[in-house]
Amino acid sequence: MPRPIPVIAIAALAALELALVGFAVGTSDVSENYRAYYIERTTGCIDRPAIGSYRLGETLSLSQHEDSAFAKVLACGFGYGQRGGTWLQGNLAKLQFTDPPPSGPLVFEFKATPELYDDQPTQQLTLLANGMTVATIDMSAPAAAVHRIEIGAEITALSQDGLELRFELADTRIDRTRPPDGQRHTLFINWIRLTRN
Amino acid sequence: LHATEITGSAHAGQRLVRDLASLVLLAILATAARYLVYRLAIGDGSLSDYITKICDWDCHWYRGVAYGYDVFPAAGRAGDANWVFFPLFPLLTRLVQMVTGLDWAHAGFVFSNLCGIAAALICRPLLRSERAYWLFAVGLIAGPFSLHFSLPYSEALFILLTLLALRALERSRYVTAGGWGALLSATRVTGVLIGFALVVQAVVDKRRSGLAWAELPRALLTDRRLLLGALLVPIGLIAFMVYLRFHTGDGLAFAHAQIGWSRSVGNPIAKWWATMLTGWPFRDGFGTQTTLGWTAMTAMGLTIALAATGRWAAAVFCAVALLVSMSAGLTSIIRFSTGLAPLGLVLAGAFAFRGWTAVLGHVLGIGAGLVITAAWLLRWNLLV
């Protein structure tokens, strides 16, 4: 007959587990950025520093971005690279050109295909550079198109740290080939390029 | 009596050795067949190339975990982080890697195969006939989802630990089952749900011993072996949560990081219904999504069959695990369902009904295994 397990040992284990769960769940210590993206889910864009340097004029394919050229400028809001490009996953995405910080007048070009449906026949994209609106684009043709946006020297001079480009979309569209909790696909982008004007 | 016991023990030992030899041979043949599929589907390449090739999708995430959890999602990625992958499988595979000097894909191949063979070896007491046993064992190693026993994925370890826990429960060894449960809860998020099986098995045991329903609550709460077993189960999960709290600042990072894959928790039935309706009628995504929906229904049907055959503990474990998995969406429901070993047990039992059904089961299972291997190699994302 095995010895009975002491009640005190069971009680101690239960108390220890409760204390550890309480510590792990009840004392979270995360950044505001983390809280907004992961816990409160109030943003689809979690900022991260770019890796590596970007040479003006370089065309970055978004079709593969992990440890690749895309990581040089990606801040947040883009999905995984797929064949030919990638999706913006919410209504906000950011690119950062920080190494080296570009200066003077610039031209930002990108090739994109909008996500259009019969009941959503147009898609509006607002592009901001260092917080200033530089273009509002209405896309109603289902085919991919190249967009060219000029960025004045006064805008690049607004930040010493570099150029931040924000893609803001008026609405979030859901990939209708997936259930409603699937990827929030908003715009498919093939490539991007920043050049001197 | 003593001599009889020695003879019985010797027979059991001989059978174990015979089974082990058969299963190892089966694993070698199954690998050879899958390699042949690789040669047909992909072209030239050595066995080593094949092992490297099948290390795809989440294989890379597990490798990342083996070398350390993210502090913050890396640049160049969406918000997906490797916190969603539980640590036990990658840690043990890393151990195999350190001992053998193999690379990640090959170490995972070896470890998952060992888990598969061990699972097939220890599951005999859970099956009700020799025919059902071999259907299940062959199904694990050469059947539809046998590729999981070659991949550095946590399924093989999860299935082994589930079978060990269920074996312990069949003998009413709650503390032992709780120990296996602790390892399960460190392997996958649904592992902790084996705790439900523990409690249900205790209810079944006490009812069988003649206890009235009214006496059950008191009997359960005063059963120290049951209490200790139940408390052991979440230890793996709690340890991971405490680790994540120190590492990322968020003890629930494994759940919160699901947003990186656009997954959110909701009503599993509503998610299933939405999946069934996606793309209806016959537009983009319809075939894929309804396949996922039908898989969930099949898994639930098998769970009901488990209950109907009196395997209440396993049925409750599968039901809760399926509902929890479905609550985050059905994207990976095929893989999650195949990771639930009791569903395979009931399916093997059904095919063991007659000799010809058993043969049919073997043929269908092995054939499906080869087709699914080809689908995996061609990156059919339904299996991810």
Side-chain angles (χ1 to χ4, degrees):
Chain A
M1 186 80 179
R3 278 195 310 173
I5 301 156
V7 173
I8 189 76
I10 294 170
L13 181 58
L16 178 66
E17 289 185 359
L18 277 175
L20 289 174
V21 170
F23 165 71
V25 176
T27 68
S28 67
D29 177 21
V30 295
S31 67
E32 278 183 32
N33 193 15
Y34 181 104
R35 183 173 296 283
Y37 181 80
Y38 285 110
I39 299 175
E40 292 166 358
R41 301 187 171 193
T42 51
T43 178
C45 203
I46 183 161
D47 284 321
R48 277 149 298 156
I51 302 170
S53 58
Y54 173 77
R55 182 173 43 80
L56 280 180
E58 190 179 352
T59 300
L60 296 182
S61 165
L62 309 193
S63 60
Q64 46 177 350
H65 60 250
E66 194 164 4
D67 299 328
S68 74
F70 189 27
K72 294 175 179 179
V73 297
L74 171 68
C76 63
F78 291 84
Y80 271 111
Q82 299 176 16
R83 189 177 299 170
T86 191
W87 291 95
L88 268 62
Q89 287 199 313
N91 52 7
L92 172 64
K94 293 185 205 171
L95 295 173
Q96 287 174 337
F97 296 86
T98 55
D99 183 17
S103 58
L106 302 167
V107 172
F108 178 65
E109 294 169 283
F110 65 99
K111 184 177 180 183
T113 312
E115 180 86 337
L116 304 177
Y117 297 101
D118 291 343
D119 54 341
Q120 291 178 309
T122 61
Q123 193 167 26
Q124 189 180 75
L125 166 70
T126 303
L127 196 75
L128 296 93
N130 285 343
M132 305 294 288
T133 301
V134 290
T136 300
I137 305 166
D138 286 306
M139 293 168 281
S140 54
V146 176
H147 302 275
R148 184 178 191 277
I149 290 113
E150 296 191 357
I151 300 167
E154 71 283 4
I155 291 176
T156 52
L158 284 173
S159 170
Q160 301 299 312
D161 298 331
L163 177 70
E164 183 194 80
L165 290 175
R166 287 169 67 98
F167 293 75
E168 292 186 357
L169 286 126
D171 55 27
T172 300
R173 296 183 181 190
I174 294 167
D175 176 3
R176 296 189 185 181
T177 63
R178 285 169 170 260
D181 68 332
Q183 304 282 342
R184 267 62 178 164
H185 288 172
T186 49
L187 184 66
F188 193 78
I189 301 192
N190 303 91
W191 55 260
I192 57 170
R193 181 166 57 222
L194 188 68
T195 52
R196 201 167 294 286
N197 194 359
Chain B
L1 183 67
H2 185 64
T4 312
E5 276 177 3
I6 291 172
T7 310
S9 171
H11 278 309
Q14 282 171 1
R15 189 168 73 172
L16 196 70
V17 171
R18 196 188 61 214
D19 285 352
L20 179 62
S22 305
L23 293 169
V24 169
L25 181 65
L26 185 62
I28 292 169
L29 290 174
T31 298
R34 284 193 287 268
Y35 172 58
L36 196 63
V37 170
Y38 163 79
R39 293 289 297 255
L40 292 169
I42 304 294
D44 286 346
S46 64
L47 181 63
S48 177
D49 293 335
Y50 155 73
I51 292 168
T52 304
K53 174 73 180 173
I54 57 172
C55 178
D56 203 356
W57 305 102
D58 288 356
C59 175
H60 305 297
W61 282 106
Y62 282 115
R63 174 167 48 201
V65 170
Y67 288 88
Y69 279 101
D70 296 330
V71 176
F72 206 66
R77 288 217 306 258
D80 38 3
N82 62 11
W83 314 316
V84 300
F85 295 92
F86 277 49
L88 188 61
F89 174 78
L91 284 177
L92 291 176
T93 307
R94 181 95 175 92
L95 191 65
V96 172
Q97 212 182 346
M98 289 162 73
V99 170
T100 60
L102 293 167
D103 69 11
W104 174 257
H106 288 74
F109 174 84
V110 169
F111 183 53
S112 286
N113 265 285
L114 289 176
C115 287
I117 291 167
L121 198 62
I122 59 99
C123 69
R124 192 185 288 273
L126 296 169
L127 288 135
R128 293 169 181 177
S129 70
E130 190 68 6
R131 201 184 277 159
Y133 168 70
W134 281 108
L135 271 162
F136 185 74
V138 173
L140 280 183
I141 293 174
F145 300 99
S146 54
L147 188 67
H148 284 141
F149 295 100
S150 294
L151 288 173
Y153 269 49
S154 62
E155 266 73 8
L157 177 63
F158 191 78
I159 286 173
L160 170 63
L161 293 171
T162 304
L163 292 170
L164 286 165
L166 292 177
R167 249 184 76 145
L169 285 179
E170 286 248 317
R171 299 172 188 176
S172 303
R173 292 181 177 168
Y174 308 132
V175 178
T176 307
W180 295 123
L183 297 177
L184 272 170
S185 74
T187 305
R188 293 178 73 91
V189 67
T190 48
V192 73
L193 302 174
I194 200 74
F196 285 97
L198 212 78
V199 175
V200 170
Q201 187 62 47
V203 170
V204 170
D205 290 343
K206 292 191 189 310
R207 288 286 297 156
R208 274 187 195 145
S209 70
L211 209 67
W213 283 106
E215 295 170 275
L216 258 180
R218 183 182 158 76
L220 293 174
L221 289 170
T222 54
D223 187 331
R224 297 184 194 181
R225 292 179 311 123
L226 173 63
L227 291 177
L228 181 59
L231 284 170
L232 286 176
V233 171
I235 283 178
L237 173 63
I238 292 172
F240 186 42
M241 287 168 68
V242 171
Y243 169 81
L244 286 175
R245 166 61 186 81
F246 282 116
H247 191 68
T248 69
D250 179 11
L252 293 174
F254 68 91
H256 291 144
Q258 293 286 349
I259 191 65
W261 283 266
S262 295
R263 286 182 183 173
S264 57
V265 176
N267 179 342
I269 306 302
K271 297 221 173 193
W272 168 76
W273 185 240
T275 301
M276 291 298 281
L277 290 183
T278 299
W280 173 258
F282 308 108
R283 292 200 302 268
D284 282 352
F286 176 72
T288 306
Q289 296 305 323
T290 46
T291 303
L292 298 175
W294 280 101
T295 301
M297 273 211 286
T298 306
M300 275 298 179
L302 290 172
T303 302
I304 292 167
L306 271 172
T309 53
R311 295 170 169 116
W312 288 102
V316 169
F317 167 62
C318 288
V320 182
L322 281 170
L323 289 173
V324 168
S325 302
M326 287 162 64
S327 71
L330 274 74
T331 305
S332 300
I333 197 69
I334 294 179
R335 191 156 62 81
F336 292 157
S337 301
T338 57
L340 292 173
L343 302 184
L345 293 175
V346 76
L347 201 59
F351 273 108
F353 179 62
R354 291 270 189 274
W356 68 268
T357 54
V359 172
L360 181 69
H362 282 300
V363 171
L364 288 177
I366 293 169
L370 298 177
V371 171
I372 286 174
T373 299
W376 180 268
L377 289 165
L378 298 171
R379 306 201 87 226
W380 195 40
N381 64 7
L382 263 177
L383 302 171
V384 174

